Amino acid sequence: MESISRKTFIQSSGLLLAGEILVKKAGAFASGATQPTETGSKPVKKWMLKNVRLETGFVYEDGEVIATETGLFRVEIEGGKIKAVLPNDPKADATDAKGQLMLPAFRDMHIHLDKTYYGGPWKARLAKNRSVKDMIAFEQKELPELLKTSTYRAEKIIELLQSKGTNFARSHVNIEPTSKLDSLKNLQKAIENKKDSFGAELVAFPQHGVFYSHSEQWMKEAAAMDIDFIGGLDPNAIDGSVEKQIDFIVQLALDHGKGIDIHLHEGGEPGLKTVEYLTQKVIENPALAGKTFLSHCFVLARLEKPKLEEVSEKLAHARVGVISTIPFGSTIMPIPTLYRHGVTVMTGNDSIVDHWNTFGSGSVLQKSNLMAQLYGQSTELDLSRCLKLATCGILPLDEKGKQQWPKAGDEASVVLVDASCSAEAVARISPVKALVHRGNLVYRN
């Protein structure tokens, strides 16, 4: 049996603007221009951006993409949607984007907003916590103190994410006997406080094991609440049985109409068995297809090529996605292989400055950059394709250079970056200048 401790894989591995502040900053964005006219729970009614840089096609030389063509446009926003993309008019009464590149807003698809040191005094992780079970014991002592400020600190992380161009996150939230449902309730308060500027979906996460910590009843109660996914953790290493934990999770998801997102750090036979058993369960229960994910899933990095190809094909067939940490020290996930087979691949910041991990920038654009470096994606075309990791698959241009985003009717969740094209944005991790969430300007640098 092969397992990996949290320490091993760790070692081997803005400010929100709303209300009055929004109006002031928007005014600075383009003095005298037409600005968003409504804030609050509803999207702004109507406003316009001018001098918006959009990608329009590729430039070819000897059959190779050598550059990306762009142009300046006006983008009309109404009711939280992009109403129209129009020819540019520098004299229009509109918010001036100043030639900055518009991209789809970024999405962090694996993060723990409910427990962090971020927003409080600096504190690094402790070396004494060597394994996942060490961390479970530590959390049982640490969580009561963290819960006192968890709503505030979750809001601070959300503001950090916004400053990096992210307007949506999937957050795992502890469900276990120490915090019971309090961690979930505190995070729900933070999300409610940020609902006009940030979107989220929640995973009920048995961080201390389902059966190891006797969390079954708490998980059942959480599943009946306003959450989106049922989580799990290393079924063999923590609960001693792949089948027992996954059967529990699958039934809970089916009973409550939820998705599934399981943390899987284990390698070797237990890790592979978990992947294959979960995949088979999804095939048997089509309601879970497209709603089931394996987070981390490090076992894939250790498979021989023929087995990896086989497993990747099965994941794609069952529509089970992988949410990958990038990078993780010497563990290099086979993301190009997963993409080639059509497996949905997403990423996130995971832990940001907490008792699990000292690091975390908050930027998923940085994850796209790291992916490009890890897999040698250095050409104009390859770099432009790497952007999809940050945007959950949305790209301005298709493989042939045809413009496919933005279009009338698309959600008006966009980011403006200081870059000439998406390839440059990925290569340079270009600074985020503004974030619009469902039609509302929520961050401006």
Side-chain angles (χ1 to χ4, degrees):
M1 178 184 72
E2 180 183 350
S3 61
I4 182 169
S5 73
R6 185 77 182 189
K7 180 179 179 183
T8 298
F9 64 70
I10 284 175
Q11 287 186 335
S12 69
S13 67
L15 179 66
L16 168 66
L17 306 178
E20 244 180 75
I21 299 175
L22 168 62
V23 173
K24 289 178 182 177
K25 286 289 186 179
F29 196 15
S31 179
T34 300
Q35 301 299 335
T37 56
E38 179 182 334
T39 60
S41 60
K42 296 180 181 179
V44 295
K45 290 181 179 179
K46 185 175 181 178
W47 62 297
M48 181 89 73
L49 279 163
K50 65 181 179 181
N51 297 322
V52 177
R53 186 168 304 282
L54 297 177
E55 296 181 343
T56 59
F58 290 135
V59 178
Y60 291 86
E61 183 179 281
D62 298 327
E64 179 184 356
V65 176
I66 61 167
T68 302
E69 293 180 327
T70 64
L72 297 180
F73 296 84
R74 283 182 296 150
V75 177
E76 186 176 347
I77 295 171
E78 184 173 7
K81 302 283 187 179
I82 292 175
K83 183 178 180 182
V85 178
L86 305 167
N88 195 40
D89 179 2
K91 296 181 180 180
D93 181 20
T95 303
D96 191 353
K98 301 178 181 178
Q100 292 161 0
L101 179 69
M102 177 182 284
L103 297 173
F106 306 144
R107 296 165 73 90
D108 188 309
M109 300 306 291
H110 186 105
I111 195 168
H112 297 261
L113 295 174
D114 64 316
K115 50 184 184 181
T116 180
Y117 297 142
Y118 188 82
W122 163 255
K123 189 174 182 180
R125 67 175 299 275
L126 301 177
K128 67 180 181 181
N129 296 318
R130 297 178 178 275
S131 70
V132 174
K133 288 187 176 180
D134 289 342
M135 291 300 302
I136 289 172
F138 180 74
E139 280 202 355
Q140 289 167 345
K141 297 177 181 179
E142 185 81 347
L143 284 173
E145 187 64 27
L146 289 176
L147 284 169
K148 295 176 183 178
T149 57
S150 65
T151 296
Y152 167 78
R153 293 191 182 192
E155 291 179 11
K156 300 310 290 183
I157 288 193
I158 288 172
E159 291 167 12
L160 172 67
L161 297 180
Q162 289 172 318
S163 74
K164 304 297 184 178
T166 293
N167 80 316
F168 186 92
R170 179 185 298 176
S171 178
H172 296 253
V173 55
N174 267 42
I175 305 294
E176 24 68 22
T178 300
S179 59
K180 302 180 175 62
L181 300 176
D182 291 341
S183 193
L184 172 58
K185 292 175 182 177
N186 287 359
L187 180 55
Q188 287 176 326
K189 289 178 186 176
I191 291 171
E192 175 66 19
N193 291 342
K194 298 293 189 182
K195 67 181 180 181
D196 301 329
S197 62
F198 194 81
E201 54 193 18
L202 301 181
V203 185
F205 177 41
Q207 173 71 84
H208 301 172
V210 175
F211 303 104
Y212 180 72
S213 64
H214 306 291
S215 295
E216 303 98 303
Q217 187 57 39
W218 296 115
M219 286 292 290
K220 291 176 181 178
E221 292 185 32
M225 297 173 65
D226 187 19
I227 59 106
D228 305 279
F229 293 84
I230 306 300
L233 172 67
D234 294 337
N236 177 75
I238 302 301
D239 281 338
S241 171
V242 171
E243 295 89 348
K244 187 177 181 181
Q245 187 189 111
I246 289 182
D247 286 349
F248 176 86
I249 291 167
V250 166
Q251 194 58 54
L252 204 55
L254 291 171
D255 289 345
H256 294 273
K258 310 296 186 182
I260 293 172
D261 192 337
I262 296 176
H263 282 64
L264 181 61
H265 310 116
E266 292 184 89
E269 187 59 32
L272 180 59
K273 183 177 180 180
T274 300
V275 174
E276 294 183 329
Y277 190 73
L278 178 63
T279 301
Q280 185 58 41
K281 282 293 181 181
V282 174
I283 292 172
E284 294 170 4
N285 298 278
L288 297 174
K291 298 170 57 180
T292 300
F293 300 86
L294 286 159
S295 285
H296 306 312
C297 205
F298 295 132
V299 65
L300 297 179
R302 304 183 179 100
L303 297 179
E304 296 294 330
K305 188 176 187 300
K307 188 63 177 179
L308 174 61
E309 299 285 348
E310 175 192 329
V311 172
S312 298
E313 186 175 345
K314 288 180 179 179
L315 288 170
H317 174 70
R319 295 175 59 205
V320 174
V322 173
I323 304 182
S324 182
T325 309
I326 301 172
F328 221 92
S330 60
T331 302
I332 308 300
M333 290 293 292
I335 291 178
T337 300
L338 295 173
Y339 274 144
R340 180 162 47 80
H341 282 277
V343 178
T344 297
V345 180
M346 300 185 288
T347 194
N349 279 281
D350 199 1
S351 300
I352 294 181
V353 192
D354 64 9
H355 51 286
W356 291 92
N357 182 16
T358 301
F359 306 103
S361 71
S363 172
V364 288
L365 182 60
Q366 182 187 37
K367 299 294 185 180
S368 290
N369 171 278
L370 290 169
M371 183 176 78
Q373 294 190 58
L374 283 171
Y375 306 111
Q377 307 294 299
S378 58
T379 68
E380 183 82 3
L381 179 61
D382 287 344
L383 286 166
S384 75
R385 303 301 89 186
C386 288
L387 180 69
K388 67 183 178 182
L389 194 68
T391 63
C392 278
I394 304 174
L395 292 173
L397 303 178
D398 67 15
E399 295 286 337
K400 301 298 183 182
K402 181 180 178 182
Q403 189 180 49
Q404 59 186 4
W405 181 94
K407 300 290 187 186
D410 288 343
E411 181 179 297
S413 291
V414 305
V415 60
L416 294 178
V417 298
D418 187 11
S420 64
C421 62
S422 57
E424 181 184 8
V426 170
R428 295 186 172 180
I429 318 177
S430 298
V432 170
K433 308 306 289 185
L435 174 65
V436 174
H437 172 74
R438 296 178 182 173
N440 289 315
L441 176 64
V442 299
Y443 173 80
R444 172 63 182 161
N445 180 9

